[in-house]
Amino acid sequence: MTEKQEDLLAKEFQFYLDNQDELVKQYDGRVIVIKEGQVLGDYDSDAAAISATKDIHPLGTFLVQRVSAGQEAYTQIFHSRVRG
């Protein structure tokens, strides 16, 4: 992914954060596609969102985001058995 794509996706994620409360009211539990500060659609799964959007917009130009209140939708914790 290029730096430009990362910047675009960061802007789309910021749109999600800035509008999360309103998005939760409308799309709670759904997966949305965001591009240029607009919700292009809502779907049951990440795969459905990507499949429906990739034919219209190139991969890397839109954000796929599960909608839920709080940070759970965009925070993941990974555990490792490796010890330093």
Side-chain angles (χ1 to χ4, degrees):
M1 184 177 304
T2 68
E3 186 174 332
K4 183 178 178 181
Q5 286 173 313
E6 288 178 15
D7 290 344
L8 290 172
L9 295 179
K11 287 179 185 177
E12 305 303 5
F13 184 63
Q14 189 60 52
F15 169 84
Y16 174 78
L17 293 177
D18 292 345
N19 297 282
Q20 186 175 15
D21 292 339
E22 289 301 315
L23 293 170
V24 167
K25 288 178 187 175
Q26 191 169 358
Y27 302 107
D28 192 23
R30 304 282 293 165
V31 175
I32 59 173
V33 174
I34 302 172
K35 183 172 181 170
E36 297 176 356
Q38 295 183 347
V39 176
L40 300 182
D42 65 292
Y43 304 89
D44 293 328
S45 68
D46 293 351
I50 292 167
S51 178
T53 309
K54 69 179 176 63
D55 294 333
I56 302 166
H57 303 281
L59 292 174
T61 66
F62 57 89
L63 178 73
V64 174
Q65 177 65 49
R66 180 164 300 278
V67 179
S68 69
Q71 296 180 0
E72 292 80 23
Y74 57 87
T75 302
Q76 295 181 355
I77 298 172
F78 297 94
H79 299 278
S80 173
R81 294 182 185 185
V82 176
R83 296 181 191 242

